[in-house]
Amino acid sequence: MKGAWEILGIEPTSDERAIKRAYAKQLKQTRPEDDSEGFQALRSAYDQALAEARYSDYAADESDAPPSDHDTDAGGEPVSVATDAGPDAEQAREEMLATAWKEANQVWQDFLETPIKKTAARFAERANLAALSLLAQDALEVIAGRYCATAGYDHDIRDALVEHFRWDEDSSHLARIDGSTAYFAVARYRGDMGMRYLRSMENGCGAFHKLQAKTPPHFDMDSMNKSFMKEMANLLDTINWRFPEVLEYHLEREVAQWWQAKVQDKKYYIETAFYSIVAGLALSGVIAGTFIAEMNALRAFLIIVTCLTLTIGGGALLALRPPQQLKEAWHERMLPYLYDDATKMRARYAWLLPFTAASLAMFYPSPSLGLQLTVGLAMFASSGMAVLAASPFLTKQGWAWLAALSSVMAYFMSNMVFPAWHWSIALMASVGLQCLINTSEIRVVDWARIGGGRLMTIRAAWIAGVIAFTVLASSTPSAVQVQLLFAWLMLVAGLFLAQFELSLYIAWPLFFSIKVLALGQLNLFKGMADQRLPTLFYFLLMLAIFIGSSMYRAMNEPETATSNY
Amino acid sequence: MIIGIDLGTTNSLVAIWRDGKPQIIPNALGDNLTPSCVGLDDDGTILVGKAARERLQTHPHMTASVFKRYMGSDKRIRLGDKEFRPEELSSMVLRALKEDAEAFLGHKVEEAIITVPAYFSDGQRKATRAAGQLAGLKVERLLNEPTAAAMAYGIQDKDQESKFLVFDLGGGTFDVSILELFEGVMEVRASAGDNFLGGEDFTDAIVDSFREYSGLNKVLGSRPADAHLRQRLRDEAERAKRQLTEQNSVWLSVTWSEQEYKWELTEEALNRIGEALLARLRTPVERALRDSTIRAMDLDTVVLAGGATRMPIVRKLVSRMFGRFPAMHLDPDEAVALGAAVQAGLKMRDAALEEVVMTDVSPYSLGIAISRQVGPSQYSHGHYLPIIERNTPVPVSRTENVATISDYQKELLVQVYQGESRMVDGNIYLGKISFPVPPKKAGQISIDIRFTYDISGVLEVEAHVLETKEKHKIVITENAGVMTQEQIEQRFAELAGLKIHPRDKIENRTLLARADRMYELSLGDVRNYLGEQINFFQAALESQDPRRVSEARSTLEKVLGHLESDGVF
């Protein structure tokens, strides 16, 4: 790529005339109608050279006054423009400028002093703009601009002027003549408009009131209130995005910064503490209730409660405040790998094979310890893979749940209670699954696409099948093995068809219903030696609940269309 | 030989570059100006120019004028039992000019440079090209009218350096261009304009005032004026407008239903009537100055072009705006055509013009519709992102980068617009292109949109998806209201079948039409006398004796001349 000066064929200079001459000379060789590419290159070289010439050698010209508020009264004289014409032309120009400023000043004084309502229409009338020369109009704009840029302006007059000159839409003309005036006039205007808007807002007026304080508080009880902080976050976003001038002119920067820090600092809200404790108790209750038949009730219960409260607390801590290095390492190393399409494809479906094999192996009659271990590990590994592939979809709460559940599983592994940790692994796997298959359209291979309405039908049919099986299974225990196999096949199909998403609102009904079932299990399967059936039963039921909830959501949300922008 | 044509709203001209300077070619009647009027004669032949203009009053349903205002739209204009599109009517004017040039030069003419208002939209320019094609002319280049006027002025001072503003107020359009001439380079810095502001609008304003103050409106009441009356009013207003250039006041008089209606128009009154129109003249001037970043006091000259700048009120406005008197040493009616001839000379690489290059700009911004972020996850739709800003020198290529806004969206739609409004609703839609994008989270797919605008005003849009390295291209050719290539070719064949009034007989035909018009306007004795004179002339025509015909013609011309100067008409 040739440099700009190279294309023009001259040495870098701030002499505009030399640049123009060089451009003209080159233009005769590369005419726009003959050589489009060449002309474009020449033209951009010309523009670049002119720009460099202008800024590398500051001419004592109009718009480079340092940004400071004006204290001048509306009558300042303009800087004269440097010209290189003869002295006569120079004098003529000076005269023209002087006349224009005189006219403009007259009009301005007249407008200010006459006792009329100060509106844009009146200004235009009063100014009788049709009679002014263009120069005088420019001068008038500068005078008006300076009025609006200095503190102490009348709001009505200022609004009328902005409406007339439309600086809020395009102030570049004024900026060319007097840059800092334009900047300040527009900034003040925007600040005032912003304040008006924010005052009229309904939501967040409490937050806005706090924001208008003179000094930042030491501690504010409201910063622990989740809904208040949400309002404050919205308000700060609105101000930062749309009304930064409000911050400049009407609010104390320190106060805003204090609240900004509070918003960004993920603090423990009162609600968070409440939810964590309740969740811990519920989960412990569920698990305790399920296995109360197998171990010393009270001991188990206490262990579980302690364990879980610690893990949930720890998990929340981890999720909310990961150490900086971990975060960075995650972003730089793991995320690109995880988001890579190939990895996602592999992980998305690769875990299915070992999971299926391991699950089927669990039906092997009287399994040895080795088999149990293998199955357990295989289940664990495949669910781990599932979780990894699902991680792009997991929210912070999701991670917390996973952490909690995996420690539960670890605990039970040490007890070597086959059905128990198998159940936990299965639970974890399903959690991973639910985040994994997150599509509204299943595409196994391109031509075997199932989407939209048909998918809903298939899911509904699947649920009906599962319920029917549940009913049948309990009534004919002898044919259980066959039915189990049948159910298993349906399960695998269901995994493909399910759409899961982990969120607090699904987990809650899930756990409560399982608790209820756990209580019921004591009656239903008390006599059964084989604990694998109830395990599978739970699994299927959970799946059914997940699918049901996702169908409910899908029915209430509009289908996301292919967007335009 | 390439000819330069000024296809104006009211008048058209043709000129060539010869002997080192531009020259206007007179038409069959010996006039430099050919009225842009087309009419259907009683025997079904097509009349173009003055003959049609005269018939505008006597046969308003068979004659059309001011059709330049409809170029680029689908409007159909009726002439008798036939319907024509505006570009077809324009093509007839172009054909007449072509024949005038061929008669003058003595050889065939195939190529032309046609001028268009700088502010003409894409569709209007395409319609002008279509008109050229229908007239059998190859139109390599459309030239902007103010640029043409500038070239006519600038070519005289090739070695000078100056900045000037061209104020071109024609019959139907208003254009402002600011140009800089240095080292033989004529550079357009900025262009602005109003496509619906011209001398005709002042005429309309005068008509409205006349109807009001002469009492005609009271008599008419709620009845609409018929076409004859309307045309008569316009002609009278036009005449008055022109006379005001020399006089301070003028009387308008229209006879209708045996009643005469009169009103005096003074220059002051015209100033009042045209106040709103005059105010509209300021806006493009201000916009052009702002865009060019040249201040009014840095201009060396203000150049006037277009017939309507003869009006004293316009000249006064210009003087007041700029604080100096404008340059008027070229005939404002001819300046644009002369400039077109200069460009034709440039194109032919005439040796005298070797040292001159011209660059022009695109007068309007071109961009796409986008959504802007107004909050952390809030978007506002329908915003306009200009990709090529107005007054960028052409040819030009500019690129902007956009990103998707919805998670996993699969398709991107790029809608192309032309205009200056902040929201696309206020701009003109040109076309669209849509293509698939890999579904990813919002903002992760970024696309480069490249606009290439060439010197003939053809826009090419190219979208480059950075992830997949795919490119998608579209050339904006389809416009609503513009004929497609197939349509043009079809109509070309159809129009060839239409009979045009023979050129050598047009002089007589024009005179006859003029006499007919004056006959209609007159009453009583004058009318009888005129009728007799017309009969004499027609008898002479039928005899086909050339000497007798030319004698009768000069007699009738004298008669008509006397009647007109006596103030009867």
Side-chain angles (χ1 to χ4, degrees), chain B residues 261-274:
Chain B
Y261 296 90
K262 289 160 76 98
W263 179 59
E264 191 185 12
L265 176 68
T266 60
E267 195 181 309
E268 198 195 300
L270 184 57
N271 215 352
R272 225 182 340 107
I273 295 168

Side-chain angles (χ1 to χ4, degrees), chain A residues 77-327:
Chain A
E77 288 298 314
V79 180
S80 73
V81 180
T83 64
D84 45 25
D88 280 337
E90 174 92 37
Q91 202 187 9
R93 281 209 167 94
E94 296 280 344
E95 274 172 26
M96 270 207 278
L97 261 177
T99 324
W101 274 89
K102 211 164 67 162
E103 272 181 54
N105 264 315
Q106 241 169 345
V107 169
W108 179 249
Q109 291 301 329
D110 179 55
F111 173 69
L112 277 185
E113 280 154 22
T114 320
I116 48 161
K117 189 149 182 268
K118 308 281 197 263
T119 61
R122 286 306 181 92
F123 178 73
E125 227 179 79
R126 206 76 210 171
N128 193 10
L129 294 170
L132 288 178
S133 72
L134 290 167
L135 264 186
Q137 278 189 321
D138 283 350
L140 184 60
E141 193 168 348
V142 174
I143 295 173
R146 284 184 184 161
Y147 175 78
C148 298
T150 327
Y153 47 81
D154 179 276
H155 280 252
D156 287 331
I157 294 184
R158 195 276 312 276
D159 286 350
L161 291 173
V162 170
E163 191 188 323
H164 176 83
F165 287 112
R166 291 199 265 153
W167 290 320
D168 53 338
E169 281 174 35
D170 181 16
S171 61
S172 58
H173 181 66
L174 181 59
R176 264 196 288 272
I177 310 174
D178 189 341
S180 49
T181 300
Y183 175 78
F184 286 112
V186 176
R188 281 182 183 276
Y189 175 73
R190 286 215 188 106
D192 290 340
M193 288 298 120
M195 282 301 277
R196 261 183 234 177
Y197 173 80
L198 291 170
R199 272 196 200 112
S200 70
M201 273 198 327
E202 280 172 13
N203 298 336
C205 45
F208 189 52
H209 190 72
K210 286 261 157 91
L211 214 49
Q212 288 177 300
K214 292 293 170 202
T215 52
H218 288 292
F219 174 77
D220 196 321
M221 201 53 210
D222 277 329
S223 71
M224 297 299 257
N225 182 336
K226 191 166 185 192
S227 59
F228 180 83
M229 287 309 276
K230 210 170 172 188
E231 266 180 25
M232 180 59 83
N234 278 339
L235 179 66
L236 284 169
D237 268 331
T238 311
I239 291 180
N240 283 329
W241 277 97
R242 292 166 66 183
F243 307 112
E245 294 86 4
V246 168
L247 204 52
E248 178 77 32
Y249 289 111
H250 294 275
L251 299 174
E252 296 299 324
R253 215 171 258 284
E254 281 164 2
V255 175
Q257 274 168 351
W258 189 87
W259 282 104
Q260 186 81 46
K262 282 272 174 259
V263 163
Q264 274 165 344
D265 259 5
K266 292 277 181 183
K267 278 281 182 187
Y268 297 107
Y269 301 124
I270 301 169
E271 291 94 329
T272 318
F274 177 67
Y275 284 141
S276 309
I277 293 169
V278 171
L281 284 174
L283 188 58
S284 62
V286 161
I287 294 176
T290 314
F291 300 106
I292 206 155
E294 283 136 17
M295 55 189 91
N296 183 304
L298 192 61
R299 175 172 151 260
F301 186 73
L302 283 172
I303 294 172
I304 289 166
V305 169
T306 328
C307 213
L308 282 172
T309 318
L310 286 171
T311 43
I312 285 181
L317 201 76
L318 207 66
L320 299 173
R321 277 248 192 97
Q324 196 58 26
Q325 274 171 324
L326 252 179
K327 220 177 177 182

Side-chain angles (χ1 to χ4, degrees), chain B residues 425-453:
Chain B
D425 281 340
N427 293 331
I428 301 174
Y429 173 70
L430 291 182
K432 66 171 190 259
I433 174 178
S434 76
F435 46 88
V437 291
K440 274 216 176 137
K441 277 212 175 255
Q444 289 203 342
I445 301 287
S446 81
I447 300 109
D448 273 342
I449 311 273
R450 194 169 130 115
F451 272 25
T452 306
Y453 194 62

